[in-house]
Amino acid sequence: DPGADPSPLSVSVIVPFPRDSPYLRELLAALDKLDPPPCEVILLPDDRLTGLKTSAAWTMVIRPTGPVTPPEKRDQGAARARGDLLAFIDCDAWPKPDWLKNALPYFRDPTVGAVGGPAVTPEDEPPRQKASGRIFASWLMAGRHVCRYRPTYPQELDDFPSCNLIVRKSDFIAAGGFASRFWPGEDTIFCLKLTRELGKALVYAPEVLVWHHRRPIYLEHLRQIGRYAFNRGYSVKKFPATS
């Protein structure tokens, strides 16, 4: 049992995204409600970003990256981060207030390199987006990976998406970061290095939960699924151990 009291580890939240959006503002508002708060939030837009309200709870760092891929943005954010832990979240997601509180105790175990949790479709999502979320969260679609889309039970995994992934910074550096322009699927490569090469545990914690917006069915949903499938095919050939 990881225990109930949070550890004193500091957390840098890292958010890759192309430009300002209502989803980004929603995420920043949710980060203001985190208990405990992170030490900083690192925003990684393509270009300069202004007009965002700063927080009294954490330091906001805005680092324009140019039009690079999300894994390249995350690596740039990690290089700048000063927290003991790197909390990766997508700009179209937002965490529950106890997101970090629930994750921190797991890192008392030095063998734990990362903690991931479900990215759940919001309860008030529009019908077409909610339908997309139900497809993702179905056993027919996700199989044993259904834990990515709805809470199931604590377990150790060897592959988990980066939309809700909290990593010990020292292990992130030792694994070489994402270090890939390959996207989506860069998280598979990173998790493989973390678990198989470094021998660190990747823990799935159902209570480390974020809400994640979905693409509406049908066209946008299918386009996203097609991109995932194409890159998963590459992963199956190159990384059969985890794919």
Side-chain angles (χ1 to χ4, degrees), residues 128 214-225 227:
R128 291 176 60 204
R214 306 297 176 194
R215 309 288 175 86
I217 57 171
Y218 292 96
L219 186 59
E220 291 185 48
H221 172 85
L222 292 175
R223 186 182 293 117
Q224 182 181 41
I225 291 295
R227 188 172 69 247

Side-chain angles (χ1 to χ4, degrees), residues 11-226:
V11 183
S12 297
V13 176
I14 297 176
V15 187
F17 61 99
R19 65 191 67 84
D20 195 2
S21 69
Y23 283 170
L24 177 66
R25 304 295 179 117
E26 181 181 51
L27 167 59
L28 294 177
L31 293 177
D32 257 348
K33 299 175 183 177
L34 287 179
D35 180 23
C39 66
E40 62 182 351
V41 174
I42 302 177
L43 303 179
L44 302 156
D46 288 356
D47 303 305
R48 291 184 61 187
L49 192 62
T50 60
L52 295 181
K53 181 181 178 182
T54 58
S55 172
W58 37 262
T59 301
M60 179 185 293
V61 179
I62 303 175
R63 183 185 178 95
T65 63
V68 300
T69 63
E72 291 176 283
K73 287 176 178 283
R74 293 187 185 100
D75 281 346
Q76 289 189 34
R80 165 63 177 77
R82 56 187 176 89
D84 301 304
L85 305 176
L86 309 175
F88 297 104
I89 188 170
D90 285 357
C91 68
D92 56 352
W94 77 94
K96 289 186 64 179
D98 58 4
W99 183 48
L100 298 181
K101 180 180 180 180
N102 292 338
L104 284 168
Y106 288 94
F107 289 98
R108 290 176 181 164
D109 183 346
T111 67
V112 172
V115 174
V120 179
T121 304
E123 297 172 354
D124 59 350
E125 197 83 325
R128 291 176 60 204
Q129 290 171 247
K130 187 174 288 186
S132 174
R134 287 176 177 170
I135 292 171
F136 274 115
S138 69
W139 283 100
L140 180 63
M141 168 70 185
R144 66 185 181 90
H145 299 296
V146 73
C147 64
R148 299 180 177 189
Y149 309 107
R150 53 187 170 93
T152 56
Y153 56 90
Q155 57 190 293
E156 282 194 27
L157 301 172
D158 55 15
D159 187 7
F160 205 75
S162 53
C163 64
N164 181 13
L165 187 65
I166 303 172
V167 185
R168 198 185 301 271
K169 185 180 179 182
S170 58
D171 291 329
F172 185 84
I173 293 171
F178 289 103
S180 175
R181 295 186 179 183
F182 183 68
W183 175 79
E186 80 288 349
D187 32 29
T188 289
I189 301 171
F190 170 74
C191 291
L192 181 67
K193 292 185 289 186
L194 181 74
T195 58
R196 301 301 176 92
E197 295 181 14
L198 296 183
K200 290 302 184 82
L202 167 55
V203 175
Y204 169 79
E207 72 276 19
V208 181
L209 186 148
V210 305
W211 303 101
H212 197 283
H213 291 291
R214 306 297 176 194
R215 309 288 175 86
I217 57 171
Y218 292 96
L219 186 59
E220 291 185 48
H221 172 85
L222 292 175
R223 186 182 293 117
Q224 182 181 41
I225 291 295

